[in-house]
Structures are given as C-alpha cells and as structure tokens.
Amino acid sequence: MARAVEKEWPDAAPLGGVVATRYGHGLTCRRIEVLEAAHPVPDLASAAAARRMLTAVAGLSRDDLVLALISGGGSALLALPAPGVTLADKRRITDALLRSGAPIAEINCVRKHLSAIKGGRLAAAAHPARVLTLAISDVPGDHPATIASGPTVADPTTVAEARAILDRHRIAPPPGFDESPKPGDPRLAGCETRIVAMARDALEAAAAAVRRDGFSPLILGDDLQGEARVLAASQSRLAMMAAPGTVLLSGGETAVTVTGNGRGGRNAEYLLALALALDGHPRIHALACDTDGIDGSEDNAGAVIGPDTLRRGPDALARLADNDAHGYFAALGDLVVTGPTLTNVNDFRAILVL
C-alpha cells in the first residue's frame, strides 16, 4: 500500500511517513519509512513501531493530511500498551484469545481496550489534521472499527464488553483497561474511511475465473465464521449434494480452539476436517488458504486435498485431534506455499466438484 501511494504521489509534492508490516513482508520505499514487527503475537518491535507512528502524527495542523493505510495484522504490528498494561500482558492475552477460538471481533475488542494507539487513538493523536483511512478488509462484515482494531476509527465497544469477553473465555484480565474514543468524539470529526479491497472482491474474481474455465461458481458467503472443523463438516455436505462442475467459494475467518500440541493454521485444520468428512469422495477436491500467504503463524498459505488425501497420510483423525493439520499436509507435500502476497482479504476456500 505504501509503495502504491509513492507511485501515484506527485514527485514535487511533500510526502513522508511510516508503515509497519510483519517480518519478511516489507518493501523498500523511497519516502516512507518501513518497519517490521511480529504477528500474530506482538513483540518489542510492535511497541516501537506504534511509538514511532504516534510521533509521526504529533503536532500536525488543520492543513495537514494523514493517509492511514490500514490492513489486517495491524492489531499485532502496532501494540503499544495502555497505561497500567505491560507488553507481557498483551502477549499473554493475545495468545490466549487466539487459542480460545474467539471470533476476531471479540479479540479486537479486547485489544482496543489494552492499547495506546488502537480504537481511534491514532486519529485522536493526529487531531486537528484531516485523516483519510484507506483500508483493506480482512474481517467478516468489513467493519472499519474492527480492521486492525481500528486505530483511526471511533470505537463503539466498551471496557465492560472487553472484560466480559475475557471472563467468558476464562482468561485472567490485566491490571488496567483504557476506554477508547467513541463515535461523536470531536477529535475524530475530520476522519474519513474508505475500504479499497475486501473478501468479496477476491471471491468475485475467482468466480469469473471459474466461469472462464467452464465451471459453475457458487459463492457461499464472504464472511463465514465459527470453528474451522464445524464449517468443514457443513460444507462437505453441500459439496456432496452439488451438481458436477460446481465450484463452491467462500471467505471469512474461521477459528480454532487449540487443545492439542501440533502445528496448525485454521485453513489447514479446515481442510483436514473436510477430508475426513468427505471420506475419499472420488469427485471432490478443495483448497483453503489465507490470502496474505500465511496460515496463522506458519510459513504456508494453506493446503489442498483430493480423493486420495486420507489414503496417503497416517491417522488423519489423530492429527486433527492434536491440531496438527500442518504436520499432516507437510508430510504429504500438499501445503500451498506462496510467500508474502502483500495483501490480506482473509481466508479463501474453493471446493471443486468434478
């Protein structure tokens, strides 16, 4: 996103700034500083990046324009703890929420109330400058306040909601919370948000490609959520009832409640559960990947399955019980490895019925 801005920005016009991305995903920019930090659990570089960004927007005037380039992952990449909260608190709670199976809206609600930069606080720090947010959505429903925990968007959630989420998932709260800027806050009056890409765009492009190849696409939804293995079971039934030549497409963000000791990724877990539910169906193949090229915290985007997936691998049911779908597909050579794609519209799933 930063490189695209530099490409389109007039050479004679002033431009400066800072962006943060995950380790190994940065590009060289001429006028914009590029920082790298950890994802999905923040580290010291995440806190340093947030401090650097707050410094960059300090002392601006009404004549200044801040372009906020926001996409999925920003919640971890900008992780400056709120007063009374430590980075260790944020790391512990983030890891616990990710392993709990909580939906992303709940996770980001908690993050916003433990942060000194998210939940509209970056925009408040830039006041009175105009803030234009250009967002790539990786969240079901495409709500700007949830994307990267909405650093430039007023936050409708509350501390009480954040506490309730932690209590529901039996996660010990930190010693402090901080209330976020709410809709109507005068510091955010000069803010505008535009979503420039979303999961629906990827699914419609895939549907067009499917039609060109002579198949019939069916988009099941761009905002599907829930446990990965539960969604796999329901989509397996749809696939087995579908007419030959159909490609079932879907997006969104599943969750995994981690109880085992294996290596996973929600797309790999979805596929292993799908393979078990299909039980070697002779006409069905499937792919599931995270569009940023990273399935969870692994080095692959996802994987593929076919009628022979269970025959070629050892004890798929035990691997699924141990949340070790990554290990299963790695042994088969069926992981999809794309490297960084430099965008993120969340998960992409395709089931092909021959």
Side-chain angles (χ1 to χ4, degrees):
M1 296 176 83
R3 179 170 280 186
V5 167
E6 284 198 340
K7 178 182 177 183
E8 300 299 329
W9 205 261
D11 289 337
L15 174 67
V18 57
V19 297
T21 188
R22 69 186 296 161
Y23 293 121
H25 287 231
L27 296 176
T28 300
C29 292
R30 294 180 292 111
R31 295 192 277 177
I32 298 173
E33 180 182 4
V34 179
L35 305 175
E36 296 186 352
H39 182 277
V41 178
D43 64 358
L44 289 172
S46 307
R51 290 191 193 94
R52 177 72 186 87
M53 204 161 287
L54 287 171
T55 300
V57 301
L60 300 180
S61 73
R62 296 182 185 278
D63 296 326
D64 291 309
L65 168 65
V66 176
L67 282 179
L69 309 178
I70 304 296
S71 63
S75 297
L77 298 170
L78 298 178
L80 187 61
V85 180
T86 67
L87 184 60
D89 290 329
K90 290 179 70 71
R91 287 177 55 85
R92 172 182 63 82
I93 290 170
T94 298
D95 184 61
L97 284 168
L98 290 171
R99 297 172 67 86
S100 73
I104 191 61
E106 288 191 358
I107 295 173
N108 285 359
C109 171
V110 174
R111 284 165 154 168
K112 285 187 276 193
H113 293 95
L114 303 179
S115 176
I117 191 169
K118 294 190 276 284
R121 294 177 182 87
L122 178 60
H127 180 76
R130 178 188 170 207
V131 178
L132 172 59
T133 298
L134 304 177
I136 294 177
S137 175
D138 74 323
V139 299
D142 303 318
H143 198 294
T146 304
I147 304 167
S149 298
T152 59
V153 181
D155 177 31
T157 69
T158 65
V159 165
E161 291 176 76
R163 288 185 180 276
I165 290 165
L166 292 180
D167 184 62
R168 184 160 57 251
H169 293 286
R170 299 181 180 180
I171 299 171
F177 285 88
D178 187 45
E179 195 56 271
S180 50
K182 299 296 177 234
D185 190 308
R187 296 172 296 173
L188 277 61
C191 298
E192 178 185 354
T193 299
R194 302 177 191 172
I195 296 180
V196 297
M198 61 189 75
R200 172 63 57 169
D201 299 324
L203 295 176
E204 289 178 353
V210 165
R211 292 188 193 97
R212 286 195 299 270
D213 284 343
F215 292 85
S216 300
L218 177 60
I219 297 177
L220 302 177
D222 62 356
D223 59 353
L224 304 186
Q225 302 183 71
E227 284 284 334
R229 60 183 69 184
V230 174
L231 181 65
S234 66
Q235 292 197 341
S236 72
R237 294 189 288 272
L238 293 175
M240 287 187 284
M241 292 187 296
T246 301
V247 180
L248 304 176
L249 300 170
S250 65
E253 181 170 351
T254 61
V256 175
T257 301
V258 180
T259 58
N261 299 306
R263 296 171 63 189
R266 58 183 181 263
N267 289 288
E269 175 131 340
Y270 162 87
L271 283 171
L272 188 53
L274 183 66
L276 285 162
L278 292 172
D279 194 24
H281 193 290
R283 294 187 293 110
I284 298 178
H285 300 251
L287 172 148
C289 289
D290 196 319
T291 54
D292 67 354
I294 303 294
D295 188 17
S297 59
E298 299 296 344
D299 58 359
N300 62 294
V304 293
I305 64 169
D308 63 347
T309 294
L310 298 184
R311 293 199 307 270
R312 293 164 51 222
D315 206 348
L317 190 60
R319 290 292 188 100
L320 182 63
D322 197 35
N323 300 118
D324 192 29
H326 178 281
Y328 186 87
F329 290 116
L332 299 185
D334 287 348
L335 294 174
V336 174
V337 180
T338 62
T341 65
L342 308 181
T343 192
N344 184 3
V345 291
N346 222 317
D347 296 341
F348 173 86
R349 294 174 291 270
I351 304 175
L352 167 65
V353 183
L354 294 175

